[in-house]
Amino acid sequence: MKQKIAISIGDLNGVGLEIALKSHDEVSKLCSPIYCINYTMLHQGAKLLNFELPDNLQLHEVTGEFEIEAGKVSYESGLYSYNSFVEAIKLCEIKQADAVVTMPIHKEAWKLAGLDFVGHTDLLRKYFNQDAIMMLGSPAMFVALFTEHIPLKEVSSHVTFEKVANFLFDLHKSLGDKQVAVLGLNPHAGDNGVLGNEEREIEKAITHVNKTIGKELFHGAVVPDIAFTPSFRENFNYYVAMYHDQGLAPLKALYFDESVNISLNLPIIRTSVDHGTAFDIAYKGDAKNLSYLNGIKSALNFINN
């Protein structure tokens, strides 16, 4: 029997629905997708795309109706994308789905809708009251983010022995015995304290975690500007970045179209496309689906492993 994947439809003013519909035949060969959207909104979106709906679409009702406006930030689309995501989570909780795959939401639209979350991972963290880990990547390279959507000036205050150690323990529980490069925070990984002392906290945490689990799995603090060079990547395809752009700038430069977003350290499996709503091309038929397909495959890999 095929695994059931709940598809959170994302912001309907963006490219999510187009990607889901154009990918349906291929995705249906891999799993049984359940689209969290009602027929009225699905039909409206399909009409805008000039897309003939297949007969085998399985829908899970999400209440709400509004006029889709391609490329527009609106509270209606923000609220609907939130409701779609919550319904997908609930399907996993009641064992009617084996994983959630999410289409992109728009953070400003969520804010307009009065939602106190900065994105999917933040919602999952509060919904389950667990420290969800955001990891993005492709089979060639995965990057887990120690901090995510916080101002850069606040990052250094988070880099403490206790916080880094807890993060690495949680990451190990999710990944198992993978070799992981942990980046330093400062240029040249601090140059032995000349450019900063945060690396001492990182290194103490690495030593403690490796000793506790009994294996040398975490390595660092690695100098950030050499960590993604071809020679270094011969030995590592899992990384921990101290802040958002430190890890995602090189990842997206190398694997933008194919990378996925994976939420770790949670009671459910959730993967996502690693791109935004792409309002500039919404309903023009130009959206690429490789990240979505890889998100489906990644979810299935986690289910089966």
Side-chain angles (χ1 to χ4, degrees), residues 81-94:
S81 65
Y82 167 81
N83 289 335
S84 177
F85 185 39
V86 171
E87 288 298 318
I89 294 170
K90 290 178 179 177
L91 286 176
C92 285
E93 288 186 297
I94 62 175

Side-chain angles (χ1 to χ4, degrees), residues 60-197:
H60 175 73
E61 180 78 12
V62 177
T63 59
E65 296 178 11
F66 63 95
E67 183 179 353
I68 294 173
E69 298 181 81
K72 181 179 178 180
V73 179
S74 75
Y75 79 88
E76 295 97 340
S77 60
L79 181 61
Y80 197 89
S81 65
Y82 167 81
N83 289 335
S84 177
F85 185 39
V86 171
E87 288 298 318
I89 294 170
K90 290 178 179 177
L91 286 176
C92 285
E93 288 186 297
I94 62 175
K95 308 302 182 184
Q96 290 187 11
D98 300 295
V100 176
V101 174
T102 54
M103 291 299 187
I105 57 97
H106 197 285
K107 293 179 178 63
E108 185 180 352
W110 274 27
K111 185 176 181 180
L112 288 175
L115 301 171
D116 188 27
F117 309 102
V118 294
H120 286 121
T121 309
D122 186 46
L123 187 155
L124 287 166
R125 197 170 279 129
K126 294 173 183 176
Y127 188 96
F128 290 109
N129 193 28
Q130 289 190 214
D131 291 328
I133 293 174
M134 181 186 292
M135 184 176 78
L136 300 95
S138 71
M141 186 173 87
F142 286 99
V143 179
L145 300 181
F146 173 67
T147 64
E148 302 157 11
H149 301 122
I150 65 172
L152 190 57
K153 65 182 179 180
E154 297 178 10
V155 171
S156 62
S157 66
H158 288 261
V159 183
T160 65
F161 165 78
E162 183 177 4
K163 288 184 178 180
V164 175
N166 288 339
F167 180 91
L168 298 181
F169 278 127
D170 287 341
L171 187 63
H172 176 249
K173 284 191 297 183
S174 296
L175 295 182
D177 292 347
K178 298 289 193 300
Q179 295 292 319
V180 182
V182 183
L183 304 189
L185 174 66
N186 298 296
H188 305 287
D191 258 349
N192 293 317
V194 175
L195 301 177
N197 294 314

Side-chain angles (χ1 to χ4, degrees), residues 173-226:
K173 284 191 297 183
S174 296
L175 295 182
D177 292 347
K178 298 289 193 300
Q179 295 292 319
V180 182
V182 183
L183 304 189
L185 174 66
N186 298 296
H188 305 287
D191 258 349
N192 293 317
V194 175
L195 301 177
N197 294 314
E198 288 83 2
E199 282 71 22
R200 293 173 182 171
E201 298 294 297
I202 296 168
E203 289 164 0
K204 284 194 297 183
I206 290 171
T207 300
H208 173 68
V209 172
N210 284 339
K211 183 177 180 179
T212 302
I213 61 181
K215 298 177 182 179
E216 294 292 319
L217 299 178
F218 294 99
H219 305 267
V222 177
V223 175
D225 65 2
I226 62 95

